[in-house]
Amino acid sequence: MIRNVLGSVLALTGAAAAVLSPFRDWYDGRLGRHYRVDELFTGITAGRPGPLGSILVAFLFAALLAVVGVVLRSRLLVASAGVVVLGFTVLWMVRQGESVGSLTVAGDGSGLGWGVAGAAAGGVLLLVGAAVMSGRRGAGHRSVHERHDRPYAAPGSENPDTWPPTQEPGPSVQTSTLPEPEPELYTGPDPAERHRPVPGSGPGSGSAPDADGRPQG
């Protein structure tokens, strides 16, 4: 979570720097939005493009990729935005160097300006933000602690002697959900034995049983 927040802040900062860079000087006081996109492939000219034909459009597209990537927590989209910004910046430096012979940096405002530095810094921040972000976790992805803390699954009815998971052989102690029956506490003779007739003690036998049920005589 913290990595996603930090990476998102870096990515959005880089996207903002890239979008603002064409409004600053790029070379010899010329703004970055005064360069045409197709000039990066054909060569730098002195003409000024319209709003939809300048290098600003490429950086706006990269910023849109970065915002969508942050919303979706997609490292790929954020990294793609950084590649677009750095790619167009490096391509412009190559074409500008071919146009003037060499690129220079001077303190009087001539040569490379702060707009190029802002574009390069924005592209680097986008790549760093993509590297810092942890991205989205899939539904099947779980951390090591989550996998270890997961409780044991109860066995099915076809294998009742494996629960609890003690890995001990033998049948299970109790496979029924009902409580075990309690044994009878009375340990004396069965009361039914007292009234059971004794052979030879019936009517006409000539003798009657005593108090203990044994025949007399």
Side-chain angles (χ1 to χ4, degrees), residues 36-44 58 87-88 91-92 95 98:
R36 297 179 59 89
V37 175
D38 56 354
E39 291 178 354
L40 304 182
F41 303 94
T42 60
I44 303 298
F88 275 90
L91 187 59
W92 174 87
R95 294 304 182 187
E98 292 176 353

Side-chain angles (χ1 to χ4, degrees), residues 11-217:
L12 294 177
T13 303
V19 171
L20 293 177
S21 64
F23 295 93
R24 307 189 67 178
D25 296 340
W26 277 48
Y27 199 82
D28 283 342
R30 187 176 179 181
L31 301 180
R33 59 189 178 90
H34 292 163
Y35 292 95
R36 297 179 59 89
V37 175
D38 56 354
E39 291 178 354
L40 304 182
F41 303 94
T42 60
I44 303 298
T45 63
R48 293 189 177 184
L52 299 180
S54 68
I55 197 175
L56 174 62
V57 176
F59 288 172
L60 287 175
F61 174 73
L64 179 62
L65 278 181
V67 172
V68 174
V70 168
V71 173
L72 300 179
R73 290 185 292 179
S74 172
R75 302 175 62 185
L76 179 60
L77 290 178
V78 176
S80 300
V83 171
V84 170
V85 173
L86 284 180
F88 275 90
T89 304
V90 172
L91 187 59
W92 174 87
M93 294 177 69
V94 172
R95 294 304 182 187
Q96 184 66 32
E98 292 176 353
S99 177
V100 299
S102 63
L103 297 177
T104 60
V105 179
D108 58 355
S110 61
L112 293 173
W114 287 105
V116 181
V124 171
L125 285 176
L126 285 169
L127 292 180
V128 173
V132 172
M133 291 175 63
S134 60
R136 301 184 63 178
R137 293 185 177 181
H141 178 79
R142 293 185 179 181
S143 64
V144 177
H145 296 288
E146 290 175 345
R147 289 196 296 269
H148 284 300
D149 294 341
R150 185 175 55 186
Y152 289 101
S157 59
E158 70 281 356
N159 195 12
D161 59 344
T162 58
W163 184 263
T166 57
Q167 300 181 356
E168 296 180 0
S172 60
V173 177
Q174 181 179 353
T175 59
S176 174
T177 57
L178 299 177
E180 293 184 350
E182 296 183 359
E184 300 245 351
L185 298 180
Y186 180 75
T187 57
D190 190 352
E193 296 292 337
R194 292 178 173 270
H195 305 285
R196 180 178 299 176
V198 178
S201 62
S205 60
S207 64
D210 57 6
D212 294 330
R214 293 189 298 271
Q216 297 179 358

